[in-house]
Amino acid sequence: MESPRFETVQEAVDFGILIQARKIQKTLKYETNLTVNAWSKVWLKEYIIEREPRKKTIKNREFALGVILEHFGAFILRDVTMSEYQAFLYKLKEEGRKRNTIITINTVASLMFTHAKRNKLITEDPTADAVIPKEKKAPRKIGEKRQVLPKFLEKNQLKRFLEVARFMISPNLWALFLVLAYTGLRISEAAGLQWEDIDAERRTIDVNKQLEGDNVREYSFGPPKNDQSERLVSYGDTVAKALEVLRSWQRTEKLSAKEFNPNDNFVFWSSEFPGYPIPITTIPKIMRRVLKEADLPTSLTPHSLRHTHVSLLASNPKVSLPEIQARIGHKGNSKTTTLIYLHVTQNRQLTIADDFEWAINS
């Protein structure tokens, strides 16, 4: 059989990895005493090849896999029964694991055992009919808040924050904070922005990727968080002026830079390495410094500016919840956005009874 031809070296390497995984899989099919631990290594490798998940997703999968292997690692794969697996889920609850954590662990177990069944290593999937134990919620006490509200800045607080930032930090960082607050972008989305993503005439930002990697000189791009996150975000005069200031600042900085990254044309730069993307991990610390100087709560984070954007939009009666969710790239069932929206619109909710009385009596 003629071997495939590859356009790049990387394609050839990837094909080699796939072939190796298949060889391992073929060997394991005939291994009668295959353990869960041994199969987990093959599954994780093939899962990464098939789905190309983000680094964060891989870390979450590895965490869950670690919990599963603590209990089932030495088990023969075919010997894991439905009753034993269900008892494992109950044990996780008894240990005090949160329901969301148990769901995460169950998802990984299901993926791994389903893959084993698909490859005819087992005849029954022990996770198929598993039941996730529920968490009993205590009744809310008088005066107790219904849910913990996400942190955000009030309008006057945001203005104060941006005023202090304007004179305390570089135009690059000030523009970043302003864009986060005025558009609702995630910090990873803003960090991955290139000037080509911004249409100055139509005043829109094309959110089509996010920045990945902790090292600014070894960065990479990843897809947006979910399907809803890929969107077109409009902006107004304030953001337009901030971007003009930023462009002017970048032209000056580029002239004096000893080393400059000529690739990718980032909107927000690293202060240490001009032209490279802004290091996401350092932004919370910088924000705390500005908050402290502005005499504002230092527990707020860059993500709080996203919540601030939601709260200010919700204060406008003309803007609906679905419109807000579409703008910030949230799913329609987002609890966070809904919670902020209901909190801000609470006063409007209290007048609905009067509106009904008017409607029925008019």
Side-chain angles (χ1 to χ4, degrees), residues 165-166 169-177 242 245-246 249-250 253 268:
R166 183 70 179 88
I169 55 180
S170 69
N172 182 55
L173 291 167
W174 163 75
L176 171 68
F177 288 134
V245 170
L246 181 58
W249 176 84
Q250 286 185 348
E253 289 293 305
F268 302 107

Side-chain angles (χ1 to χ4, degrees), residues 137-311:
K137 294 183 179 180
R140 190 159 49 94
K141 297 177 182 178
I142 297 174
E144 184 181 358
K145 291 183 178 179
R146 186 169 54 183
Q147 294 185 54
V148 178
L149 194 67
K151 297 174 181 177
F152 58 85
L153 291 163
E154 299 293 346
K155 179 170 67 174
N156 291 336
Q157 290 178 319
L158 176 61
K159 288 182 177 181
R160 171 67 180 159
F161 171 77
L162 292 175
E163 285 171 1
V164 173
R166 183 70 179 88
F167 298 101
M168 183 178 173
I169 55 180
S170 69
N172 182 55
L173 291 167
W174 163 75
L176 171 68
F177 288 134
L178 188 142
V179 167
L180 292 176
Y182 275 68
T183 64
L185 264 63
R186 297 177 177 90
I187 182 66
S188 57
E189 293 171 343
L193 282 180
Q194 299 165 284
W195 284 108
E196 291 78 7
D197 298 322
I198 297 176
D199 187 332
E201 290 186 10
R202 296 176 60 199
R203 291 191 173 183
T204 58
I205 298 173
D206 183 3
V207 182
N208 51 59
K209 59 187 172 302
Q210 61 179 344
L211 191 73
E212 293 184 345
D214 296 330
N215 189 328
V216 297
R217 304 188 75 174
E218 297 176 6
Y219 62 86
S220 61
F221 295 111
K225 186 176 181 181
N226 51 51
D227 291 341
Q228 291 77 18
S229 297
E230 191 165 340
R231 61 203 189 279
L232 206 62
V233 179
S234 61
Y235 62 84
D237 290 342
T238 305
V239 171
K241 291 174 183 176
L243 292 176
E244 287 176 8
V245 170
L246 181 58
R247 272 194 178 279
S248 176
W249 176 84
Q250 286 185 348
R251 283 193 289 268
T252 304
E253 289 293 305
K254 186 175 180 180
L255 290 173
S256 59
K258 294 181 180 178
E259 180 184 358
F260 182 79
N261 175 30
N263 304 314
D264 295 319
N265 202 17
F266 284 103
V267 174
F268 302 107
W269 291 356
S270 161
S271 57
E272 188 176 357
F273 303 107
Y276 285 92
I278 199 161
I280 296 174
T281 54
T282 65
I283 304 305
K285 185 178 179 180
I286 296 168
M287 185 171 176
R288 281 194 297 271
R289 281 174 37 217
V290 178
L291 289 167
K292 185 177 181 180
E293 183 66 26
D295 197 23
L296 294 169
T298 55
S299 57
L300 293 162
T301 67
H303 203 72
S304 302
L305 295 176
R306 182 169 161 85
H307 295 158
T308 299
H309 188 73
V310 172
S311 71

Side-chain angles (χ1 to χ4, degrees), residues 15 23 43 48 105 146 243 260-261 279 324 343:
F15 185 79
K23 285 181 179 178
W43 166 74
I48 293 171
I105 294 167
R146 186 169 54 183
L243 292 176
F260 182 79
N261 175 30
I324 295 173
H343 170 76

